[in-house]
Amino acid sequence: MSAVVPRYVSEEIASWNDRIAQAILSFGLATLGFFVLWSSAGTSIAMFFIVVACCLVPRRFVQLWPRRDRMVQIGLLLLAWIALRSFVGEGVNYASWRIVNHYHELLMLPVMWAVMRLAWRPQAFTNGLMLAGLIATAILFATALRAWYHLGGSYELQGHMEQAIVDRRISLGFGLSVCAFLIYEHARLGRLPRVPGYAGAALFAGAVLFACDARTGYVLVLALAGCAGYRAAPRKWRYQAVVALLVLGALLASTSQPLRTRFMDTVKVLQGAQPVNDSELSTTIRLEVLRNGLDVARDHWVLGTGWVAYQDAFRAIALARHPGQPELPGSQSVNPHNEYLLQLGAGGLPALLLFLAWLAWPMWRAARQRRLDRPWVGAAGCIAFAFAISALFNSVLLDFMEAHLYAALMGWMMARRLDRS
């Protein structure tokens, strides 16, 4: 005979189950926020804890899944097209599975949306993110000060962290720019004291402009400064505020030695000069892979080469442009460093249109939003705008760090939009 479990016992078990799940979830979100800027291994570990927490409360997680949101639906359609194009066009094999896994952030976004609504403390993610941003900012400024004043040496731990910063400078440029905008939004909306909040936003933006050697970050700081002016100004003065902030931001940025150096190196390469340093070589490679990406997209724009075959097609174009010279800068690369060209060349017109719609939906929703009790709709549109700009210079959806940060941030802001907080 089976025993009947009293109702109060099952409620107690459920309560403890919820508490354990929430503790694991808070730890996972904080860990994700801390590692997403600079460690793929740390990010993967954090996602493991988040998945474990969701498995402890599966019914509630499924109930909170954003089934009806258009951005989620478009993203899943894009992921389905990538899988279909890979498995049907290129076969079910390890290479195809690997390509589909590279775009799992399209699924991660609705997962993080549900997780942020499920969590009792979703701010654990942003707390971890801001802590990581502060550490990265401190290391960036410390490294820059030693370079400016020709100071030598660093502690071994700091040296390893500085190397990680250099290796992740593109991700950090994106991440710190976004963090600066989020701190500004919290201060503007009264979630943070205004003076410390604005000072923190300026500190993060200054780290990108003056201490981070990342051209994408420079562009994003100015773009998000324009978004901040648009959101803060009265309706009739919005465009004037955007122009004024862009001009002031450009003047301030012109005082940055790293920015001026990168700008002049880029100008020299565009004028046809041979690269003489790493910065000019990087620009030369960028231009070369962009031309190769345009050629692949022009030849395969209907249905694409397929993501597995894209590398071979890209390499063939590079060698055809410079026959007998495989050692030229950019000839060994198989990535156009432009997500739009990558989607068009690998997945054809369907992939590009779905990717554009996925990017544009939160911006379109932000433009239509008129309710003052849901300010995070506009903020989500600004973050989507920043991600769209980054996609011009990097394969941000293919890249691990930027895509994970974007998916987590959009999930966090979408949850806040629904909760009106």
Side-chain angles (χ1 to χ4, degrees):
M1 182 181 296
S2 60
V4 178
V5 179
R7 182 174 180 179
Y8 71 87
V9 173
S10 60
E11 289 177 352
E12 184 69 17
I13 293 172
S15 176
W16 277 105
N17 190 59
D18 285 346
R19 292 177 186 177
I20 294 171
Q22 290 297 332
I24 296 174
L25 191 54
S26 295
F27 175 78
L29 289 175
T31 306
L32 175 64
F34 183 79
F35 283 115
V36 74
L37 287 181
W38 50 31
S39 173
S40 55
T43 301
S44 298
I45 292 171
M47 291 302 300
F48 170 77
F49 282 104
I50 290 173
V51 170
V52 168
C54 293
C55 290
L56 292 176
V57 284
R59 182 178 300 178
R60 194 171 306 167
F61 174 76
V62 171
Q63 290 173 346
L64 295 174
W65 183 270
R67 299 174 181 82
R68 299 181 180 179
D69 185 81
R70 289 289 183 269
M71 183 182 182
V72 170
Q73 294 170 353
I74 294 169
L76 294 179
L77 279 175
L78 176 56
L79 182 61
W81 171 252
I82 293 172
L84 181 66
R85 182 66 182 82
S86 299
F87 294 146
V88 175
E90 301 175 289
V92 180
N93 49 51
Y94 173 75
S96 297
W97 280 108
R98 187 167 176 268
I99 286 296
V100 175
N101 181 60
H102 272 306
Y103 288 99
H104 72 270
E105 289 86 0
L106 294 166
L107 177 62
M108 178 184 168
L109 192 150
V111 168
M112 292 306 300
W113 187 345
V115 164
M116 294 298 179
R117 296 186 67 195
L118 176 67
W120 293 347
R121 298 178 181 86
Q123 69 273 19
F125 167 72
T126 49
N127 291 340
L129 180 62
M130 296 307 162
L131 177 60
L134 282 173
I135 294 174
T137 297
I139 296 174
L140 283 170
F141 275 122
T143 305
L145 285 172
R146 280 211 313 275
W148 295 338
Y149 295 103
H150 307 288
L151 302 176
S154 65
Y155 295 109
E156 183 177 358
L157 176 60
Q158 185 178 353
H160 288 309
M161 295 184 73
E162 287 177 2
Q163 187 59 46
I165 292 286
V166 171
D167 294 340
R168 301 292 187 186
R169 63 186 183 277
I170 297 176
S171 303
L172 281 174
F174 174 76
L176 292 179
S177 302
V178 168
C179 284
F181 178 76
L182 290 177
I183 294 173
Y184 167 82
E185 280 291 292
H186 276 82
R188 185 180 70 86
L189 297 171
R191 272 69 169 180
L192 286 175
R194 293 203 171 184
V195 173
Y198 292 150
L203 178 68
F204 277 46
V208 177
L209 290 178
F210 294 95
C212 186
D213 188 18
R215 286 169 292 192
T216 304
Y218 303 150
V219 176
L220 292 182
V221 166
L222 294 178
L224 289 173
C227 291
Y230 181 86
R231 288 178 57 73
R235 186 180 299 272
K236 65 178 182 179
W237 295 105
R238 282 178 173 172
Y239 296 105
Q240 293 90 329
V242 171
V243 173
L245 275 174
L246 288 178
V247 171
L248 289 174
L251 291 174
L252 178 63
S254 67
T255 65
S256 166
Q257 182 61 40
L259 189 151
R260 289 202 306 269
T261 300
R262 295 286 276 181
F263 178 77
M264 294 306 300
D265 289 343
T266 302
V267 171
K268 289 179 184 178
V269 172
L270 290 175
Q271 291 175 345
Q274 292 297 315
V276 297
N277 56 43
D278 291 343
S279 177
E280 293 179 8
L281 179 62
S282 172
T283 303
T284 302
I285 293 174
R286 286 268 183 172
L287 292 175
E288 184 65 23
V289 298
L290 180 63
R291 296 188 187 102
N292 296 339
L294 286 169
D295 288 345
V296 175
R298 181 197 61 200
D299 295 340
H300 304 279
W301 64 272
V302 179
L303 292 177
T305 63
W307 277 265
V308 176
Y310 185 82
Q311 295 184 2
D312 293 334
F314 195 92
R315 190 178 292 109
I317 288 289
L319 294 177
R321 289 174 58 84
H322 304 285
Q325 297 177 293
E327 74 283 352
L328 285 179
S331 297
Q332 301 301 317
S333 177
V334 293
N335 189 320
H337 292 286
N338 181 302
E339 191 67 49
Y340 304 102
L341 286 179
L342 180 58
Q343 292 295 326
L344 182 59
L349 194 59
L352 178 62
L353 291 178
L354 286 170
F355 179 62
L356 289 173
W358 185 71
L359 286 176
W361 189 264
M363 291 185 271
W364 179 78
R365 183 161 46 197
R368 294 177 63 247
Q369 181 60 241
R370 296 293 183 268
R371 294 180 56 172
L372 298 178
D373 61 339
R374 292 187 175 180
W376 293 105
V377 175
C382 294
I383 301 301
F385 179 59
F387 193 75
I389 292 175
S390 298
L392 291 169
F393 310 108
N394 304 283
S395 50
V396 287
L397 189 57
L398 179 67
D399 294 338
F400 187 92
M401 310 301 290
E402 293 93 325
H404 272 69
L405 176 58
Y406 180 69
L409 277 175
M410 291 300 287
W412 179 77
M413 285 186 289
M414 288 175 176
R416 299 197 72 172
R417 171 181 69 88
L418 291 181
D419 295 336
R420 304 185 186 183
S421 59

